[in-house]
Amino acid sequence: QVQLVESGGGSVQAGGSLRLSCTTSTYMYTNTCMGWFRQAPGKEREGVASFYFGGMRTNYADSVKGRFTISRDSAKNTVYLQMSSLEPEDTAMYYCAATIGSLAHGTCSYARWGDRAGYNYWGQGTQVTVSS
């Protein structure tokens, strides 16, 4: 069983930055797709960004392109979400998710990366609040 632990959330004013971390309990090999999702009150969980380790390929939601960056530190078993130019609309609980194994490549494809059903493992979430 793979465990994911998020950290780095908090409260920030609009225009500020935060870096979220997601640390896994196991080493992440190339057949790994990691995703960041968020869920605001009363809204569905939506994909924010994904990272496929096999091809170092990333995907981003249109709403965060140019502001958020997903990256990894394999030595630390950690994936990061650097968030800049934060807006009140970014306020949400942020979750990291993972698929490990032969399905990872498909999960992280351009067409499917934002589908939460494609991910096998989820963290508990970290809250991000952006005030205007």
Side-chain angles (χ1 to χ4, degrees):
Q1 185 73 8
V2 177
Q3 294 183 332
L4 309 178
V5 179
E6 303 97 333
S7 61
S11 296
V12 64
Q13 289 191 327
S17 299
L18 284 172
R19 188 178 76 164
L20 306 183
S21 300
C22 174
T23 301
T24 67
S25 60
T26 185
Y27 183 77
M28 298 176 289
Y29 293 92
T30 56
N31 57 345
T32 299
C33 172
M34 297 290 295
W36 282 98
F37 287 74
R38 67 186 181 185
Q39 187 167 19
K43 295 188 177 181
E44 291 193 358
R45 194 171 298 188
E46 62 175 357
V48 176
S50 71
F51 194 123
Y52 178 59
F53 292 0
M56 301 293 283
R57 184 175 67 240
T58 59
N59 292 293
Y60 295 93
D62 288 342
S63 59
V64 306
K65 281 181 181 177
R67 300 189 298 123
F68 291 11
T69 302
I70 188 170
S71 63
R72 71 163 182 172
D73 186 334
S74 57
K76 296 182 178 180
N77 292 344
T78 299
V79 171
Y80 301 101
L81 185 68
Q82 177 67 48
M83 306 185 295
S84 303
S85 301
L86 282 163
E87 303 168 352
E89 292 75 21
D90 296 316
T91 295
M93 184 72 79
Y94 283 71
Y95 300 89
C96 69
T99 294
I100 300 172
S102 60
L103 299 179
H105 181 267
T107 297
C108 260
S109 65
Y110 177 79
R112 294 173 50 194
W113 72 271
D115 183 358
R116 57 186 289 190
Y119 295 82
N120 302 121
Y121 305 102
W122 290 84
Q124 294 300 307
T126 186
Q127 178 68 38
V128 172
T129 302
V130 184
S131 58
S132 58

